[in-house]
Amino acid sequence: MTISLTNKVVLVTGGAGLLGQQFCAAIARCGGTAIVADRDFDRADLVAAQLASDYSGRVSAAALDITNKDSIISCMQTVRERHGKIDAVVNNAYPRNAAYGRKLEDVNYADFCDNVSMHLGGYFLVAQQFAALFREQGHGNIINMSSVYGVIAPRFEIYEGTPMTMPVEYAVIKSGVVHLTRYMAKYLKGTGIRVNAISPGGIADQQPQAFLDKYNASCMSKGMLNKDDITGTLVFLLSDASAYINGQNLTVDDGFSL
């Protein structure tokens, strides 16, 4: 079966980011229309223009703050006016404050709550508002980006000797995303709306070599993934080839979680 997204309009939150750009390119490459939705509209517009040079008429930009209900509703209305419908939304944005990334003992309560609220709360708000739109349409597809650390405990040993850690907020957020996915899939039973999640392993982004060596030792073949290694799974979940996959979390990590 050839996987095609022809005639599908897909909005990607955080569309101007590391993974978001790859997702939008893959959607357009497979015949769909990609909406680069980002809080930084100027950057989203630039990314959309760059992609449109290869995929004319199949990429556009939209302003979106996932923590603001009015922004979400306005974005949905704008995209529907432009394209007539929205077939799917990819919850991919990664909001965080300046204190994010500290070790457990250095995280204060306000920052913990702020980061969980922005990220997990933002995913909830997007899913809630798009579910209402999709009910009205009679169909829709919600894909939430989780993480391998949403399904297994952190492997703190791979961070030893580096300035990195696995933030406690991230573990709470991404495990919450997995269960939010299951909750909404079950709640929306019979509505024509699918809700699934993807849990990637680590994505290469200039990490220290000492960390990469330890990380890769826990994988089966490739090790740390590249930013385009997730796109095949995303396109599959967006396509009709996955029509009866619902409420699931697909882990893409080269066996890191085994």
Side-chain angles (χ1 to χ4, degrees):
M1 175 185 291
T2 300
I3 294 180
S4 171
L5 300 181
T6 301
N7 297 324
K8 292 188 183 297
V9 178
V10 183
L11 186 145
V12 180
T13 77
L18 181 71
L19 285 179
Q21 293 185 43
Q22 299 300 311
F23 289 169
C24 290
I27 290 161
R29 186 166 57 247
C30 291
T33 297
I35 311 301
V36 185
D38 206 280
R39 184 169 57 184
D40 185 344
F41 177 75
D42 289 341
R43 180 167 171 78
D45 200 35
L46 177 62
V47 169
Q50 291 171 340
L51 292 176
S53 66
D54 292 323
Y55 310 107
S56 179
R58 298 208 298 274
V59 187
S60 63
L64 175 65
D65 178 354
I66 71 168
T67 67
N68 185 302
K69 181 178 177 181
D70 290 339
S71 175
I72 296 168
I73 292 172
S74 176
C75 181
M76 291 191 302
Q77 290 174 340
T78 298
V79 174
R80 287 188 81 189
E81 288 170 3
R82 187 184 303 160
H83 299 285
K85 62 172 182 172
I86 305 174
D87 295 290
V89 60
V90 182
N91 247 334
N92 169 72
Y94 190 178
R96 54 204 183 275
N97 68 22
Y100 180 84
R102 294 175 176 174
K103 292 185 177 181
L104 176 68
E105 55 270 26
D106 298 325
V107 177
N108 69 48
Y109 179 75
D111 286 325
F112 176 89
C113 293
D114 188 33
N115 282 305
V116 172
S117 176
M118 284 192 293
H119 195 148
L120 181 57
Y123 277 33
F124 156 74
L125 191 57
V126 167
Q128 180 195 51
Q129 296 307 305
F130 272 85
L133 168 66
F134 292 158
R135 277 181 182 269
E136 179 186 324
Q137 287 186 162
H139 75 279
N141 193 347
I142 299 170
I143 298 176
N144 297 318
M145 294 305 298
S146 181
S147 165
V148 65
Y149 280 144
V151 295
I152 65 168
R155 292 187 174 162
F156 292 110
E157 63 274 13
I158 69 176
Y159 300 97
E160 292 175 1
T162 79
M164 301 168 62
T165 189
M166 215 298 285
V168 63
E169 304 100 315
Y170 191 80
V172 171
I173 290 162
K174 293 306 189 181
S175 58
V177 167
V178 172
H179 210 73
L180 175 66
T181 299
R182 295 180 181 131
Y183 180 100
M184 292 199 67
K186 195 69 176 287
Y187 189 82
L188 295 169
K189 176 181 178 181
T191 64
I193 302 171
R194 291 195 292 137
V195 190
N196 291 292
I198 301 174
S199 286
I203 306 295
D205 190 21
Q206 301 181 325
Q207 293 94 338
Q209 190 60 47
F211 167 78
L212 292 173
D213 291 343
K214 291 177 182 178
Y215 182 96
N216 292 347
S218 294
C219 298
M220 301 299 104
S221 57
K222 181 173 185 175
M224 183 72 63
L225 303 177
N226 293 328
K227 57 189 179 182
D228 59 351
D229 287 333
I230 314 299
T231 57
T233 303
L234 177 77
V235 168
F236 169 67
L237 285 177
L238 288 171
S239 77
D240 294 338
S242 61
Y244 302 108
I245 296 179
N246 203 351
Q248 303 304 306
N249 176 46
L250 302 188
T251 302
V252 186
D253 68 347
D254 191 31
F256 178 81
S257 56
L258 296 176

